[in-house]
Amino acid sequence: GDQDIDLLMRHGVVAMQSGQLAVADATFSDIITVRPKFSEAWNKRATVRYFMGKLDDSITDCAQVLVLEARHYGAMSGLGLILLARNDKAGAIRWFERALAVNPHMAVLRDKIGTLRKELNGRPI
């Protein structure tokens, strides 16, 4: 609802979509400084940091999103993707399942869970 923040968010999203990840990171960081309780700025920065390969920083941001908005299925699925990037398939499945519990309409996650379970060949998660 804040025009300045909305403008910065659009700027950050455009920067992210055009591959200007450092610009996007800085933009979302600026928003967080001004509006630290704005969960979507944390989520967008987590996404940018994931794309930058800054997985620890992305995890930290996802965790903050979930502190601010416990049912944020985007952050939950993001944590699953981060764990998958770290080859922690069991951990990824757990976060994907949590995201599905909140939003059961994420068919892509359901498919991903099925694939991961097959890759684990029945090993316990």
Side-chain angles (χ1 to χ4, degrees):
D2 181 315
Q3 288 182 344
D4 293 334
I5 298 298
D6 291 345
L7 181 63
L8 282 171
M9 283 294 288
R10 283 192 296 277
H11 176 70
V13 169
V14 168
M16 181 171 56
Q17 291 172 339
S18 65
Q20 299 174 33
L21 300 180
V23 171
D25 185 85
T27 302
F28 296 127
S29 294
D30 288 346
I31 295 168
I32 289 165
T33 298
V34 175
R35 295 280 189 276
K37 293 184 179 181
F38 184 29
S39 64
E40 199 52 35
W42 288 95
N43 188 58
K44 292 291 189 226
R45 190 174 77 173
T47 302
V48 168
R49 290 178 170 184
Y50 170 81
F51 289 139
M52 296 173 86
K54 297 180 176 182
L55 300 183
D56 289 338
D57 292 336
S58 186
I59 288 170
T60 300
D61 284 356
C62 285
Q64 184 60 35
V65 172
L66 293 172
V67 165
L68 295 169
E69 179 55 57
R71 297 178 48 83
H72 197 293
Y73 55 85
M76 292 174 193
S77 64
L79 285 166
L81 290 172
I82 294 165
L83 292 174
L84 193 55
R86 290 185 165 172
N87 204 33
D88 180 355
K89 294 175 183 177
I93 289 170
R94 284 191 294 274
W95 279 107
F96 291 154
E97 286 176 338
R98 288 176 81 173
L100 275 173
V102 176
N103 181 0
H105 304 291
M106 299 173 74
V108 121
L109 288 186
R110 191 170 283 106
D111 294 342
K112 181 60 92 178
I113 290 168
T115 299
L116 290 172
R117 285 192 185 283
K118 287 178 187 172
E119 290 175 10
L120 288 173
N121 292 321
R123 284 181 276 158
I125 61 169

